[in-house]
Amino acid sequence: MTTTPKVTRYRLRAGAPLAPRPADPEAARAAAAAAMEARPAPAAVTMHPLQQRLPQQEASVEEAVATEAEHDIDKIRREGLTGRQLRMARRVAQKQGLEVASDFDAVRQLRALGVDPFQRSNIIELVVPEQEQDKTASASASAPVPAPRVQLPSTVPEGDRQLPSTERADPAEQRASEIRGIQRDLARRRRRRMALLGLRLMLFVLLPTVLAGYYFFAVATPMFATRSEFVIQQAEPQSGAGLGGLFQGTSMATQQDSITVQSYLTSRAAMVRLDEEEGFKQVFSDPAIDPLQRLHQPATNEAAYDLYQDHVKISYDPTEGIVKMEVIAPDPETSQRFSEALLGYAEEQVDQLTARLRNDQMQGARDSYEAAEARRAEALANWLRIQEEVQQIDPVGETAARTQQISALETQRQQLQLELQTRLAVRRPNEAQVNSIKSQIAGIEELITDLRREMTEASEAGSSLAARNTELRLAEEDYGFQTLLVQQALQQMEAAQIEANRQVRYLSLGVEPVAPDEATYPKALENTALALLIFSGIYLMLSLTVSILREQVSS
């Protein structure tokens, strides 16, 4: 059989003292009568020493007491007590059995008795459980009780059932109690969330950071870095016209070459050549290297290339045109050896960048010169053949000689004609002399005609002198033209040679590779701090992502 637990209920009555309701009304009335008899007179409690004087001074004493009471009440009123404190003071005064005219009078009388109405112990005594009331009622039957203590709040028994009070409690007290409960709940949730946050930070941020720091400080193999710097220069930069000449002599002129060399040094081809000539894979496969930096056997080219990218760092500064290279290796000698080998590869690559252009330029100029020389030799052979065929070396001289002969013959003919006219002018000329002169003139004219015919008309023996002269002149002019072409081709070949020399690129070392005497990596402190920042950023991103997803799902 189950027993119903006894519920202790409290009820506040507005404007009146709350006292425990006894189960027996007659016993309650008897206890109230005994309390009234045992209660001291209020005048005795508030008796002022001035009231003990002579009866004739009672009126003046009462006035003084009233004036002093009013003065005390005014001072209490100026203290700015709240309504809750005044109600509390009235309840304590009623508990003490004082007759008060107002709440401020209750405070005054309690302070006169030496009771602080706002003390916590006095407030707690207003509320007494039902068990203490039963003990007090049973004790009052055997021993006289001076005055019943008014308890706030008190249980209100209603027969066999214990029902909650229908009277409402103070709203301010109820609101404050609810606020305190909410604050305690919020504080508990805040502590729980802070504990979970600390646990997550420890698992996802601090623990990985500690592991990373342990690796950098205790496990990582020391690495040595050799640094070097070089620039790519042009032999004799040609001054260009227009906007192209503005970049001559600056880093912009060789920027493309520098970027090409950088790409080559960071390529698989450079890694494969370095492994074939210097043993890159063998060096990083040493068991003395920690597992994270060691190249595990059998090593593939892809794995070696990934390690090569981490240990060979090349950067290019476009403003100054400087290529900076850093080579990392387990020991300083190997680092310097790898750096020198890569510099050699870079110099060969720089030379190959313009080798084809220079070769093409020189080959074209050389082929043009050789073709011109061949044509000139052919023209010279043709000229010689024509001279042998016509049996004539200088057509101009031959023509001049024939022309001189014709001129001499014509001069001689004119002299003979003058002499003939002179002979015929006499009265009786000598016929033999006249005939002789006439025959000489006819012979000279026939000779002039033959000479002119040989110069312009072809004979049975061969072509005419004019044709032969024309052939010789054409052969001579062809030879002269081919000679001019040979000279131009020679000039072009010399210009191509100069231009090819200008296209040559040189790799100039600004900082030579020198082996370090102390380990460069790992930078334990910096890497640990970086790991902390990275893990913190990852945790923050994941937290924000989860929060956003949760908000989206809930909405």
Side-chain angles (χ1 to χ4, degrees):
M1 181 176 182
T2 60
T3 58
T4 303
K6 193 173 184 181
V7 179
T8 303
R9 294 180 294 110
Y10 303 93
R11 182 175 61 184
L12 297 177
R13 297 179 183 178
L18 297 179
R21 181 181 297 177
D24 190 359
E26 296 180 357
R29 286 194 294 271
M36 293 298 291
E37 293 177 358
R39 180 182 300 173
V45 176
T46 60
M47 182 71 68
H48 196 275
L50 296 176
Q51 296 179 1
Q52 299 177 3
R53 295 186 179 181
L54 298 176
Q56 60 269 18
Q57 298 178 354
E58 290 181 358
S60 61
V61 171
E62 290 178 359
E63 292 179 1
V65 171
T67 302
E68 186 177 356
E70 289 295 334
H71 181 67
D72 293 340
I73 289 173
D74 291 338
K75 290 195 299 182
I76 294 172
R77 185 178 287 108
R78 287 194 296 270
E79 290 180 3
L81 300 176
T82 63
R84 180 183 177 189
Q85 291 175 336
L86 294 175
R87 291 192 298 272
M88 196 180 300
R90 178 183 285 275
R91 292 170 188 166
V92 175
Q94 291 175 356
K95 173 180 173 293
Q96 297 292 335
L98 301 178
E99 294 182 1
V100 296
S102 64
D103 295 339
F104 297 102
D105 188 31
V107 176
R108 183 186 66 81
Q109 293 187 27
L110 289 173
R111 288 180 178 177
L113 291 177
V115 178
D116 186 3
F118 311 121
Q119 189 176 2
R120 185 175 180 83
S121 60
N122 295 329
I123 299 172
I124 294 175
E125 288 177 358
L126 295 177
V127 182
V128 179
E130 184 180 358
Q131 291 80 0
E132 294 185 3
Q133 296 178 6
D134 295 339
K135 293 179 181 179
T136 306
S138 61
S140 63
S142 59
V145 179
R149 299 178 60 189
V150 180
Q151 304 292 338
L152 296 176
S154 62
T155 58
V156 182
E158 295 183 0
D160 296 337
R161 296 188 306 171
Q162 298 290 336
L163 298 177
S165 174
T166 57
E167 297 183 5
R168 297 180 62 185
D170 188 4
E173 289 287 345
Q174 187 176 2
R175 189 181 306 108
S177 177
E178 292 177 357
I179 291 174
R180 285 193 296 272
I182 293 173
Q183 289 177 349
R184 286 193 296 270
D185 186 41
L186 291 177
R188 184 171 60 255
R189 292 182 181 179
R190 189 179 297 109
R191 288 192 298 270
R192 184 172 64 253
R193 290 179 180 177
M194 290 299 295
L196 293 176
L197 177 61
L199 180 61
R200 288 194 297 267
L201 289 176
M202 184 175 296
L203 290 178
F204 297 107
V205 178
L206 294 180
L207 182 59
T209 303
V210 170
L211 294 178
Y214 173 74
Y215 168 76
F216 290 127
F217 279 98
V219 180
T221 303
M223 291 291 174
F224 298 84
T226 300
R227 295 181 176 86
S228 58
E229 298 180 2
F230 59 89
V231 294
I232 297 176
Q233 295 179 346
Q234 191 173 357
E236 294 181 1
Q238 183 181 4
S239 59
L243 295 177
L246 298 177
F247 300 105
Q248 297 294 336
T250 62
S251 60
M252 301 296 292
T254 58
Q255 182 177 8
Q256 185 177 5
D257 300 333
S258 301
I259 295 175
T260 304
V261 171
Q262 178 187 9
S263 301
Y264 172 74
L265 292 179
T266 55
S267 64
R268 289 181 176 84
M271 185 275 298
V272 172
R273 184 175 178 182
L274 185 65
D275 178 53
E276 293 176 354
E277 297 181 2
E278 303 294 336
F280 178 78
K281 294 181 181 179
Q282 183 179 0
V283 170
F284 283 94
S285 300
D286 190 359
I289 303 176
D290 63 272
L292 294 182
Q293 301 185 79
R294 185 170 63 241
L295 190 62
H296 300 281
Q297 294 293 342
T300 61
N301 287 337
E302 292 299 323
Y305 180 64
D306 294 339
L307 188 66
Y308 177 82
Q309 288 181 325
D310 294 335
H311 290 76
V312 177
K313 301 177 181 179
I314 300 175
S315 61
Y316 171 66
D317 187 0
T319 58
E320 300 178 358
I322 298 176
V323 180
K324 300 179 181 180
M325 183 174 63
E326 182 181 16
V327 181
I328 304 172
D331 56 272
E333 292 77 11
T334 304
S335 176
Q336 183 180 6
R337 181 162 50 89
F338 284 174
S339 181
E340 292 175 352
L342 290 175
L343 288 176
Y345 302 161
E347 190 169 4
E348 293 180 5
Q349 185 67 18
V350 168
D351 185 65
Q352 291 177 1
L353 290 176
T354 57
R356 184 173 181 179
L357 176 62
R358 290 183 283 113
N359 292 334
D360 289 344
Q361 290 178 349
M362 289 301 301
Q363 186 66 31
R366 191 178 295 108
D367 293 343
S368 177
Y369 174 74
E370 292 176 356
E373 282 286 349
R375 289 194 298 271
R376 187 183 67 171
E378 183 179 358
L380 182 60
N382 187 27
W383 189 20
L384 179 61
R385 179 180 58 80
I386 293 174
Q387 286 178 347
E388 291 177 351
E389 289 179 356
V390 300
Q391 297 180 355
Q392 186 177 346
I393 297 176
D394 187 7
V396 177
E398 187 71 18
T399 302
R402 293 295 179 91
T403 304
Q404 289 178 1
Q405 288 178 4
I406 293 173
S407 298
L409 290 175
E410 288 180 352
T411 303
Q412 187 177 1
R413 186 185 60 181
Q414 291 176 359
Q415 292 176 357
L416 290 175
Q417 288 177 354
L418 290 175
E419 186 178 358
L420 177 62
Q421 291 177 1
T422 304
R423 296 283 185 182
L424 293 176
V426 295
R427 181 178 296 180
R428 294 178 66 179
N430 188 353
E431 294 182 358
Q433 293 180 351
V434 171
N435 292 331
S436 175
I437 294 172
K438 289 182 178 178
S439 64
Q440 289 180 0
I441 292 174
I444 292 173
E445 289 179 352
E446 184 179 359
L447 182 58
I448 291 174
T449 302
D450 292 338
L451 289 175
R452 291 182 180 280
R453 187 184 301 110
E454 288 180 359
M455 293 180 63
T456 56
E457 295 180 3
S459 61
E460 296 178 357
S463 60
S464 64
L465 179 62
R468 292 196 300 270
N469 291 340
T470 302
E471 291 181 2
L472 289 175
R473 290 180 66 86
L474 288 176
E476 183 180 3
E477 290 179 357
D478 186 19
Y479 174 74
F481 179 71
Q482 296 299 330
T483 303
L484 181 61
L485 290 181
V486 169
Q487 294 176 357
Q488 293 179 354
L490 182 60
Q491 292 177 357
Q492 291 178 357
M493 187 172 65
E494 292 178 354
Q497 181 69 33
I498 296 173
E499 185 65 24
N501 293 332
R502 289 175 178 175
Q503 294 293 334
V504 175
R505 300 291 191 272
Y506 298 97
L507 189 145
S508 300
L509 281 177
V511 177
E512 296 183 358
V514 178
D517 56 352
E518 292 183 0
T520 310
Y521 299 100
K523 298 179 180 179
L525 184 60
E526 292 83 348
N527 293 340
T528 304
L530 180 60
L532 177 61
L533 293 177
I534 291 174
F535 291 132
S536 300
I538 293 174
Y539 174 77
L540 180 60
M541 293 176 59
L542 292 178
S543 300
L544 292 176
T545 304
V546 171
S547 300
I548 294 172
L549 292 177
R550 186 185 295 113
E551 182 179 359
Q552 293 293 331
V553 171
S554 62
S555 61

